[in-house]
Amino acid sequence: MSDGRALARAFLEQQRLLGGDAVILSDSRPLLPDSRTVGQSERGPSHPSPTVRQSDRPTPLPPPGLSFDPPGGDLFATDPVAQARSLAAIAELVASCVKCRLCEGRAHTVPGEGPADARLVVVGEGPGRVEDETGRPFVGPAGELLTKILAAIELPRERVFICNIVKCRPPENRQPQYDEIAACVPYLFRQIELIKPQVILAMGGTAAQTLLNTKQALGALRNHVHRFRGIPVVVTYHPAALLRNPNWKKPTWDDVRIARRLIA
Ligand code: URA
Ligand code: SF4
């Protein structure tokens, strides 16, 4: 099969995965050139086209949103999290952590995984059942969908750092409570500080509200490019929510494409 046809097939597969039945055209390019362009080309090559066609301009990125700048670790701190020099060192601290009640029910801690030089960091809420059993983030049903979403933006999950706000599974997958989040976020903040990603993708309200230090609803936070310590943060739905509500697939696809465009 020719490259073009293979690309078209991959594209349609992505649309089916993320957009349901509808065929969504990337960047809303029209299928046919508009009449003005046809008219211009009929004037022949000696008349250069004076305008750029609307559809050739890239869609503008969403406007800036919130900015959260929590203080980073300093060299002279005695806090072991601030002192941790590698992702492995953080994972080791997490493995023995008893800073909140979520340590009581866990089988494994789930610190997160991915390369230390990842350009994208994906942040979810907290480990589910399969994650707790394996110690790996996003490996259950929601994780399978996330893996497909990342493949669709040509970022295989092996090249992304994937983690959660809390590193131990909340009982019955309930939402993590405020004090549990407060106890756990220093690990995440240090992970981000070490990785220095180009973009953070916050999946779901818990991730978005924690990274942006806000109580605003997910719907209000989408469609802006926020900042965490200067790093762009794109907010979207949680893949587990997409499994329950397929109507959110199309907006999620829009969000992840925005995240992809922010990566060099
Ligand atoms: N949901 C999450 O938020 N994180 C996981 O790791 C798995 C499911
Ligand atoms: Fe420690 Fe975080 Fe686990 Fe709580 S959830 S015990 S703070 S690692």
Side-chain angles (χ1 to χ4, degrees), residues 162-189:
I162 301 174
C163 61
N164 287 296
I165 294 290
V166 293
K167 312 299 193 189
C168 304
R169 182 193 183 194
E172 314 299 329
N173 295 348
R174 67 156 169 76
Q175 279 196 350
Q177 291 169 7
Y178 185 79
D179 59 332
E180 296 159 353
I181 293 173
C184 209
V185 280
Y187 297 119
L188 173 66
F189 288 3

mmCIF file of all heavy atoms in Angstrom, residues 162-189:
data_model
loop_
_atom_site.group_PDB
_atom_site.id
_atom_site.type_symbol
_atom_site.label_atom_id
_atom_site.label_comp_id
_atom_site.label_asym_id
_atom_site.label_seq_id
_atom_site.Cartn_x
_atom_site.Cartn_y
_atom_site.Cartn_z
ATOM 1 N N ILE A 162 4.337 8.611 32.649
ATOM 2 C CA ILE A 162 2.934 8.450 33.016
ATOM 3 C C ILE A 162 2.845 8.245 34.527
ATOM 4 O O ILE A 162 3.532 7.377 35.079
ATOM 5 C CB ILE A 162 2.319 7.241 32.278
ATOM 6 C CG1 ILE A 162 2.433 7.450 30.769
ATOM 7 C CG2 ILE A 162 0.875 7.031 32.691
ATOM 8 C CD1 ILE A 162 1.992 6.251 29.944
ATOM 9 N N CYS A 163 2.030 9.058 35.180
ATOM 10 C CA CYS A 163 1.966 8.938 36.639
ATOM 11 C C CYS A 163 0.622 9.467 37.145
ATOM 12 O O CYS A 163 -0.281 9.769 36.363
ATOM 13 C CB CYS A 163 3.131 9.687 37.284
ATOM 14 S SG CYS A 163 3.117 11.446 36.921
ATOM 15 N N ASN A 164 0.502 9.563 38.441
ATOM 16 C CA ASN A 164 -0.749 9.966 39.076
ATOM 17 C C ASN A 164 -0.488 10.980 40.178
ATOM 18 O O ASN A 164 0.636 11.142 40.641
ATOM 19 C CB ASN A 164 -1.432 8.739 39.681
ATOM 20 C CG ASN A 164 -2.031 7.828 38.633
ATOM 21 O OD1 ASN A 164 -2.943 8.210 37.920
ATOM 22 N ND2 ASN A 164 -1.498 6.614 38.527
ATOM 23 N N ILE A 165 -1.578 11.622 40.597
ATOM 24 C CA ILE A 165 -1.492 12.559 41.713
ATOM 25 C C ILE A 165 -1.143 11.823 43.008
ATOM 26 O O ILE A 165 -0.237 12.233 43.724
ATOM 27 C CB ILE A 165 -2.835 13.327 41.870
ATOM 28 C CG1 ILE A 165 -3.090 14.230 40.666
ATOM 29 C CG2 ILE A 165 -2.889 14.095 43.194
ATOM 30 C CD1 ILE A 165 -2.177 15.430 40.561
ATOM 31 N N VAL A 166 -1.861 10.743 43.325
ATOM 32 C CA VAL A 166 -1.493 9.929 44.498
ATOM 33 C C VAL A 166 -0.907 8.605 44.027
ATOM 34 O O VAL A 166 -1.307 8.054 43.006
ATOM 35 C CB VAL A 166 -2.675 9.696 45.485
ATOM 36 C CG1 VAL A 166 -3.086 11.005 46.138
ATOM 37 C CG2 VAL A 166 -3.849 9.015 44.810
ATOM 38 N N LYS A 167 0.049 8.138 44.787
ATOM 39 C CA LYS A 167 0.847 6.987 44.363
ATOM 40 C C LYS A 167 0.350 5.666 44.950
ATOM 41 O O LYS A 167 0.937 4.617 44.675
ATOM 42 C CB LYS A 167 2.322 7.202 44.763
ATOM 43 C CG LYS A 167 2.894 8.575 44.394
ATOM 44 C CD LYS A 167 2.875 8.851 42.898
ATOM 45 C CE LYS A 167 3.720 10.063 42.533
ATOM 46 N NZ LYS A 167 3.524 10.448 41.118
ATOM 47 N N CYS A 168 -0.695 5.700 45.778
ATOM 48 C CA CYS A 168 -1.284 4.473 46.327
ATOM 49 C C CYS A 168 -2.773 4.457 45.993
ATOM 50 O O CYS A 168 -3.414 5.508 45.916
ATOM 51 C CB CYS A 168 -1.106 4.401 47.841
ATOM 52 S SG CYS A 168 0.613 4.531 48.374
ATOM 53 N N ARG A 169 -3.322 3.261 45.838
ATOM 54 C CA ARG A 169 -4.710 3.130 45.394
ATOM 55 C C ARG A 169 -5.698 3.522 46.493
ATOM 56 O O ARG A 169 -5.671 2.962 47.593
ATOM 57 C CB ARG A 169 -4.993 1.674 45.017
ATOM 58 C CG ARG A 169 -6.405 1.491 44.497
ATOM 59 C CD ARG A 169 -6.806 0.038 44.422
ATOM 60 N NE ARG A 169 -8.141 -0.089 43.853
ATOM 61 C CZ ARG A 169 -8.868 -1.179 43.905
ATOM 62 N NH1 ARG A 169 -8.389 -2.258 44.504
ATOM 63 N NH2 ARG A 169 -10.065 -1.208 43.370
ATOM 64 N N PRO A 170 -6.596 4.447 46.203
ATOM 65 C CA PRO A 170 -7.663 4.746 47.153
ATOM 66 C C PRO A 170 -8.643 3.570 47.198
ATOM 67 O O PRO A 170 -8.918 2.960 46.160
ATOM 68 C CB PRO A 170 -8.335 5.998 46.571
ATOM 69 C CG PRO A 170 -7.333 6.572 45.618
ATOM 70 C CD PRO A 170 -6.601 5.383 45.069
ATOM 71 N N PRO A 171 -9.162 3.232 48.397
ATOM 72 C CA PRO A 171 -10.071 2.098 48.509
ATOM 73 C C PRO A 171 -11.274 2.260 47.584
ATOM 74 O O PRO A 171 -11.834 3.358 47.470
ATOM 75 C CB PRO A 171 -10.491 2.102 49.991
ATOM 76 C CG PRO A 171 -9.932 3.342 50.594
ATOM 77 C CD PRO A 171 -8.911 3.909 49.666
ATOM 78 N N GLU A 172 -11.671 1.188 46.921
ATOM 79 C CA GLU A 172 -12.816 1.178 45.982
ATOM 80 C C GLU A 172 -12.682 2.245 44.906
ATOM 81 O O GLU A 172 -13.689 2.710 44.369
ATOM 82 C CB GLU A 172 -14.155 1.386 46.718
ATOM 83 C CG GLU A 172 -14.369 0.558 47.979
ATOM 84 C CD GLU A 172 -14.350 -0.940 47.695
ATOM 85 O OE1 GLU A 172 -14.758 -1.334 46.582
ATOM 86 O OE2 GLU A 172 -13.901 -1.689 48.561
ATOM 87 N N ASN A 173 -11.481 2.658 44.589
ATOM 88 C CA ASN A 173 -11.246 3.694 43.574
ATOM 89 C C ASN A 173 -11.951 5.005 43.872
ATOM 90 O O ASN A 173 -12.285 5.759 42.950
ATOM 91 C CB ASN A 173 -11.682 3.221 42.177
ATOM 92 C CG ASN A 173 -10.864 2.059 41.679
ATOM 93 O OD1 ASN A 173 -9.830 1.733 42.255
ATOM 94 N ND2 ASN A 173 -11.322 1.428 40.617
ATOM 95 N N ARG A 174 -12.197 5.291 45.157
ATOM 96 C CA ARG A 174 -12.791 6.593 45.469
ATOM 97 C C ARG A 174 -11.794 7.686 45.131
ATOM 98 O O ARG A 174 -10.602 7.431 44.943
ATOM 99 C CB ARG A 174 -13.190 6.655 46.953
ATOM 100 C CG ARG A 174 -12.013 6.638 47.923
ATOM 101 C CD ARG A 174 -12.387 7.271 49.251
ATOM 102 N NE ARG A 174 -11.391 7.046 50.288
ATOM 103 C CZ ARG A 174 -10.220 7.672 50.390
ATOM 104 N NH1 ARG A 174 -9.858 8.563 49.483
ATOM 105 N NH2 ARG A 174 -9.394 7.405 51.378
ATOM 106 N N GLN A 175 -12.304 8.932 45.066
ATOM 107 C CA GLN A 175 -11.399 10.054 44.794
ATOM 108 C C GLN A 175 -10.443 10.236 45.966
ATOM 109 O O GLN A 175 -10.848 10.080 47.114
ATOM 110 C CB GLN A 175 -12.205 11.334 44.645
ATOM 111 C CG GLN A 175 -12.807 11.491 43.277
ATOM 112 C CD GLN A 175 -13.273 12.919 43.029
ATOM 113 O OE1 GLN A 175 -13.305 13.745 43.935
ATOM 114 N NE2 GLN A 175 -13.644 13.199 41.808
ATOM 115 N N PRO A 176 -9.200 10.585 45.671
ATOM 116 C CA PRO A 176 -8.307 10.885 46.789
ATOM 117 C C PRO A 176 -8.800 12.122 47.553
ATOM 118 O O PRO A 176 -9.347 13.046 46.948
ATOM 119 C CB PRO A 176 -6.958 11.152 46.120
ATOM 120 C CG PRO A 176 -7.177 11.151 44.663
ATOM 121 C CD PRO A 176 -8.556 10.687 44.370
ATOM 122 N N GLN A 177 -8.641 12.092 48.871
ATOM 123 C CA GLN A 177 -9.096 13.220 49.689
ATOM 124 C C GLN A 177 -8.018 14.296 49.736
ATOM 125 O O GLN A 177 -6.854 14.048 49.447
ATOM 126 C CB GLN A 177 -9.456 12.724 51.091
ATOM 127 C CG GLN A 177 -10.714 11.857 51.047
ATOM 128 C CD GLN A 177 -10.982 11.106 52.343
ATOM 129 O OE1 GLN A 177 -10.302 11.325 53.350
ATOM 130 N NE2 GLN A 177 -11.957 10.219 52.312
ATOM 131 N N TYR A 178 -8.456 15.479 50.180
ATOM 132 C CA TYR A 178 -7.570 16.630 50.117
ATOM 133 C C TYR A 178 -6.257 16.394 50.872
ATOM 134 O O TYR A 178 -5.173 16.718 50.385
ATOM 135 C CB TYR A 178 -8.301 17.870 50.652
ATOM 136 C CG TYR A 178 -7.472 19.107 50.502
ATOM 137 C CD1 TYR A 178 -7.387 19.751 49.262
ATOM 138 C CD2 TYR A 178 -6.729 19.604 51.573
ATOM 139 C CE1 TYR A 178 -6.590 20.874 49.105
ATOM 140 C CE2 TYR A 178 -5.934 20.726 51.422
ATOM 141 C CZ TYR A 178 -5.861 21.354 50.195
ATOM 142 O OH TYR A 178 -5.070 22.443 50.031
ATOM 143 N N ASP A 179 -6.359 15.810 52.085
ATOM 144 C CA ASP A 179 -5.129 15.621 52.880
ATOM 145 C C ASP A 179 -4.220 14.551 52.261
ATOM 146 O O ASP A 179 -2.988 14.622 52.386
ATOM 147 C CB ASP A 179 -5.463 15.295 54.349
ATOM 148 C CG ASP A 179 -6.305 14.039 54.508
ATOM 149 O OD1 ASP A 179 -7.081 13.694 53.583
ATOM 150 O OD2 ASP A 179 -6.193 13.382 55.560
ATOM 151 N N GLU A 180 -4.816 13.582 51.577
ATOM 152 C CA GLU A 180 -3.999 12.558 50.909
ATOM 153 C C GLU A 180 -3.246 13.182 49.734
ATOM 154 O O GLU A 180 -2.059 12.909 49.515
ATOM 155 C CB GLU A 180 -4.910 11.418 50.422
ATOM 156 C CG GLU A 180 -5.590 10.679 51.572
ATOM 157 C CD GLU A 180 -6.861 9.912 51.166
ATOM 158 O OE1 GLU A 180 -7.310 10.041 50.002
ATOM 159 O OE2 GLU A 180 -7.409 9.205 52.026
ATOM 160 N N ILE A 181 -3.944 14.029 49.001
ATOM 161 C CA ILE A 181 -3.296 14.719 47.874
ATOM 162 C C ILE A 181 -2.163 15.603 48.396
ATOM 163 O O ILE A 181 -1.040 15.579 47.873
ATOM 164 C CB ILE A 181 -4.331 15.559 47.092
ATOM 165 C CG1 ILE A 181 -5.340 14.631 46.404
ATOM 166 C CG2 ILE A 181 -3.652 16.470 46.084
ATOM 167 C CD1 ILE A 181 -6.501 15.349 45.736
ATOM 168 N N ALA A 182 -2.457 16.346 49.460
ATOM 169 C CA ALA A 182 -1.439 17.252 50.010
ATOM 170 C C ALA A 182 -0.208 16.473 50.469
ATOM 171 O O ALA A 182 0.927 16.927 50.289
ATOM 172 C CB ALA A 182 -2.029 18.055 51.171
ATOM 173 N N ALA A 183 -0.427 15.279 51.039
ATOM 174 C CA ALA A 183 0.717 14.479 51.507
ATOM 175 C C ALA A 183 1.537 13.955 50.340
ATOM 176 O O ALA A 183 2.752 13.816 50.424
ATOM 177 C CB ALA A 183 0.211 13.307 52.359
ATOM 178 N N CYS A 184 0.874 13.676 49.219
ATOM 179 C CA CYS A 184 1.541 12.964 48.117
ATOM 180 C C CYS A 184 2.143 13.873 47.037
ATOM 181 O O CYS A 184 3.113 13.479 46.388
ATOM 182 C CB CYS A 184 0.569 11.981 47.479
ATOM 183 S SG CYS A 184 1.373 10.539 46.771
ATOM 184 N N VAL A 185 1.595 15.062 46.830
ATOM 185 C CA VAL A 185 2.066 15.855 45.672
ATOM 186 C C VAL A 185 3.537 16.226 45.674
ATOM 187 O O VAL A 185 4.088 16.436 44.580
ATOM 188 C CB VAL A 185 1.272 17.158 45.384
ATOM 189 C CG1 VAL A 185 0.009 16.859 44.650
ATOM 190 C CG2 VAL A 185 1.122 18.015 46.585
ATOM 191 N N PRO A 186 4.198 16.321 46.813
ATOM 192 C CA PRO A 186 5.628 16.634 46.705
ATOM 193 C C PRO A 186 6.394 15.642 45.824
ATOM 194 O O PRO A 186 7.341 16.038 45.124
ATOM 195 C CB PRO A 186 6.115 16.572 48.160
ATOM 196 C CG PRO A 186 4.901 16.925 48.967
ATOM 197 C CD PRO A 186 3.748 16.305 48.221
ATOM 198 N N TYR A 187 5.961 14.376 45.812
ATOM 199 C CA TYR A 187 6.637 13.403 44.939
ATOM 200 C C TYR A 187 6.430 13.775 43.468
ATOM 201 O O TYR A 187 7.372 13.770 42.680
ATOM 202 C CB TYR A 187 6.082 11.987 45.182
ATOM 203 C CG TYR A 187 6.318 11.473 46.586
ATOM 204 C CD1 TYR A 187 5.241 11.149 47.420
ATOM 205 C CD2 TYR A 187 7.606 11.299 47.073
ATOM 206 C CE1 TYR A 187 5.451 10.668 48.709
ATOM 207 C CE2 TYR A 187 7.829 10.823 48.359
ATOM 208 C CZ TYR A 187 6.744 10.508 49.172
ATOM 209 O OH TYR A 187 6.955 10.045 50.437
ATOM 210 N N LEU A 188 5.190 14.093 43.119
ATOM 211 C CA LEU A 188 4.892 14.457 41.728
ATOM 212 C C LEU A 188 5.634 15.738 41.333
ATOM 213 O O LEU A 188 6.233 15.819 40.250
ATOM 214 C CB LEU A 188 3.380 14.654 41.538
ATOM 215 C CG LEU A 188 2.966 15.209 40.177
ATOM 216 C CD1 LEU A 188 3.281 14.218 39.059
ATOM 217 C CD2 LEU A 188 1.489 15.586 40.154
ATOM 218 N N PHE A 189 5.603 16.728 42.223
ATOM 219 C CA PHE A 189 6.243 17.999 41.893
ATOM 220 C C PHE A 189 7.746 17.797 41.672
ATOM 221 O O PHE A 189 8.344 18.393 40.775
ATOM 222 C CB PHE A 189 5.992 19.034 42.998
ATOM 223 C CG PHE A 189 4.561 19.530 43.034
ATOM 224 C CD1 PHE A 189 3.590 19.027 42.177
ATOM 225 C CD2 PHE A 189 4.186 20.520 43.945
ATOM 226 C CE1 PHE A 189 2.274 19.487 42.216
ATOM 227 C CE2 PHE A 189 2.873 20.992 43.987
ATOM 228 C CZ PHE A 189 1.914 20.479 43.133
#
